[in-house]
Amino acid sequence: MTKKEEFEIEISSDSKAAIQRLAIVPKKTPVKYEQEKPEENLVMTFPNLIIREIICFQIVVIVLSIISLFFNAPLEELANPQNTPNPAKAPWYFLGLQELLHTFPPVVAGVLMPLLVVIALIIIPYFDINIKRAGLWNKNPEKTLLVFSSVVFVFLIIMFLFDAFSILVPTLLIYILAVSPYLIKKRNAFINNIASLSLAGWIMTWFVSVTVILIIIGTYFRGPGWSWVWPW
Amino acid sequence: MNLNRLKILYAVISIIFLLALAVSPLKNYFKAWRNIQNNFNETVEKLPQKVKPVSIGLKQIWVADLDRIDRCTTCHLGIDNSKLESAPQPFKPHSKIYHDIEKFGCTICHEGQGLATEYDAVHLPTEFWDRPLLPKKYIQSSCGKCHINEKLNSTHLLNFGKELIADLNCTGCHNIPGIEKNFVPLLDGIGSKVIDRNWLVNWLKDPAKIQPDTKMPDFLLTDSEVETLADFLMSFKSFRNGITLDALPDVYYKNKDEEDFIMLGQTRFREARCISCHAIEGKGGKLAPDLFKTASKIKDTWIYNYVKNPKKLQPEVEMPQYGFSDEEAAAITAYIESEFVDWDDEEETGSVHTPLADFYEKGLALFNKYNCGGCHQLSAKGINQNAGPDLSEIGSKKIYQIDWGKTNVTHTVYDYIETKVRSPREFGGNTRMPKYNLTERKVEAITTYLLSLKEEKLPVNFIHPADKKTESSLQGKVGKIFDRYACLKCHSLNDSGGSIAPDLTIVSSQLNTDWLRAYFKIPFTIRPIVEERMPNLFISNEEIEILLNYFNTVLLDDNLSTPINWAVDKKSEERGASLFYERYGCQSCHIIEGKGGYVGPPLDEAGSRLKPGWIYNWLMNPQKFKPETIEPRTEMPEQDALDITAFIMSLKKTDK
Amino acid sequence: MKILNWLAQTKIWQSIFRTKLPISTNLDKSLVIFNSLTLHIHPVKVRLRAIKFSYTFYLGMISFFLFVLLIVTGILLMLYYQPAIPHAYNNMKDLEFVVSNGSYLRNMHRWSAHLMVITVFLHMLRVFYKGAYKPPREFNWIIGIVLLIITLLLSYTGYLLPYDQLSYWAVTVGTNIVQYIPIAGEKIRFLLLGGNEIGEYTLVRFYVLHCVILPLFMVLLIALHFWRIRKDGGLS
């Protein structure tokens, strides 16, 4: 925070002593002009970028070759509609969804939630008013805490009612992480880092961690009848 | 990173990139089967016989009918080449094979993953392949897939398995197609049959301990279950349909300890050839229970009634009803009572047992739980069929359908069936299956048969069902006689019946009526080395005439005749004799006048026993009548056969 | 090297490759980009900062390369595949045991597909946290989201094709979710499966989706995605 004195306004009729400038700010300012671009250090695409691309491609092929030589793609027995495996699992990237399906009514988990996620992802660039991405606690921390906490609390209650602990726990953790810069006054690099995360950043972080945790749970911690099992 | 370092990195990565791409083709080139084929070509070169080397490449058999591809011949290169008998595996030729490999492929019989070309994937039980290579000991089960109920000569284990399944009455609880239910004693009146409750308790605890040859398995009952069940069974004192036991005649009580009386019983017991079916301490026939310890098991009244008329007490039993008089039956009872006693049996202590108040309900529940009614009939209300699993497609049971419990049995269908047959409770769960004391060979046989019961959809032209047996159900007087003497337990008629004694279908074309009449009266063994002989059934003259009449009118083959212009003369007879002894050397198997081999039946009195038409036709083609006979088909000229027939017909019975 | 230099001077070489060797001046370097159909998607000059690994982790690039690999291996796999029951499954066995490099191809295809789902997702995260979706790149962000969804669908439709237990039940679970869509759910499921249960027609439908329809959209959208990046001022 800068000190108030630094913003003192000089007023003088002498145009030489205090130069008067007129700035016209249009209502919509293109964002790309807002950020000052430092003088860019430009290099030739060939060979600088091209060589990196080729190396990248080669590494991708090498890594995949090694994986393919050591791990065979799974192949079980011929499909048999009579033999339902317990549990029948979707591909891993849908296991989060399947985990949701287990806790929420199908219409909510199977249709509403994925739809909301897709819509939320799509509208991000249009609704991100906080262009400068100010940290969550930059402005009016008390009010932020109240609103933020109450929203999270209501959400947690709902999750609790649905027994959705696989969502509840990560949400709680993210919440604690989010409010920690407010509570801990001592600063270090880590706290500074998370203090600078905006609300949108926190929502995304929350979404990603819940997704990842749900997928991990669905993949490793679910056994017959979608019951909880330990993978070891 | 500056450009120069990037260039170095690029160079290094490019080399690794090329190497990474080369690994897979190399791996492909060094596949095991290629090595094996090279090996084959080397092996073949060293052999003294000329065998063409193979061109390196995958080999496969495509069975169009089954839409199946087998790549076994990629490595098993000498499968149809008898010259490679001395080559090492996998190049050895197939042992005697009954089918064209090109038409049938390999996996239809051997199972396993025919598509694979790697040793483990093909041969070993692997995850995600339900049908691993069938162990050699079970290979006959694959014959049974197509040759349904066909009794092939080469599938002795499969046939044995089927016999065992019928014998042990597995169908009492399981549905197994093509197997008939066996006789099992009905339990009505068991309370009046067994000697005391104590015997029943011991029996239920472990039947094999009391009667080692029993077919009743051990249900592994708890002591309280045994007690309840014994109480329940002992409460059935009366017999079915209001039948009552005849009292033993006074002569029995008067003479039962008399030597002469017992001797009479023993003589009748011998003449009736009881031990043809019943063993005594393990010696004798296997068709009926061992009689050793019978007197310690069954009350004498029951024995007497049973000897007189078995079907009165057990309507479905196949024991013949001998024509004993009351006295004879009583004497046999006395003989049994004196001889077949379990001397080790401890006398009951005399304590009076009082059953629990609800023993009947509990006993009935147990009776139903263990599905006793699946085998034993009992006229009581509330008996349900509580059968075990259907086994009609057990051979294709899927691995995932099997509950392996805590066993560490390999997860294959054959291991499952084998373990289940050997020790049924191994897999835990709620199984009620009793334990049979089976030898390993029996376990293998049963497993083999069960494995052959598959739901596989094989093309129609592959399936070889045996001809449907026509149950011959004889009616009228003949039927009654056949039934009473249980003729078809040993003899067969029109392909149904027993296999112990000769077939009767064309008996009248084979045997002389007079000879038959005498034989009914005093049966004797024709072959000196065969122990089992027809029992003396004490059959009445009237019944004999009815039977002979029936034989002579029905059991004939009209085609069995000698050529019309055949006339016996001395010349023909003499020529026949020389043919018999010199040309065909028949005496090496058949005995005449005390000289000759033991393989075939003696021919001393064949002239009075056999009919000439039969002898002639038999000589022309023995296998036509008995496919399994070892008498050679000599393809002798018609005249030779006629002469030999004349010679044999001259071997008449001479009253000495 | 001499031979190469001589070769580069021949008329045939020069008629095929517009670029003249050796490449020494900046003009030559620019011409490499200009004269190439595939490379001229790049500007002649790029910001040094933007091509550093730590700036983008090359996630978009890796995703694209994975897609290229998937197309190549996928086309080769198509040569051995019949969308029919039970041939589809037997084809997998053939790939494993008979086709030269068959299992390598299949493994590459499978693992690339899984990896691509991960890299595309990570790419999205990177773009989000760097704020690289801001105007004027809003629409390119949306294209990116659609590309992520298509990637998932491609992976999912491919999942059924081996027709083993794994694929059958994974697809059953997935298509059961579809039927929860209000009103049209059952109809959509029927449309997808070509029947009420997974069968021959499902296999054909998924095959066509996996090999024709979805890749087509993917290629078009990737082109649009790249073009927009270029127009919006390169990597950010």
Side-chain angles (χ1 to χ4, degrees), chain B residues 24-25 28 58 71 113 117, chain C residues 93-94 96-98 100-101 104:
Chain B
S24 178
N28 198 55
L58 269 170
R71 303 193 167 122
Q113 197 174 174
T117 54
Chain C
K93 291 281 176 194
D94 287 354
E96 188 179 349
F97 293 115
V98 186
S100 303
N101 304 310
Y104 178 70

Side-chain angles (χ1 to χ4, degrees), chain C residues 3-11 13-14 19-22:
Chain C
I3 301 168
L4 216 69
N5 279 338
W6 171 79
L7 207 65
Q9 302 302 323
T10 54
K11 264 204 167 159
W13 179 282
Q14 286 180 358
T19 315
K20 289 195 178 70
L21 293 176

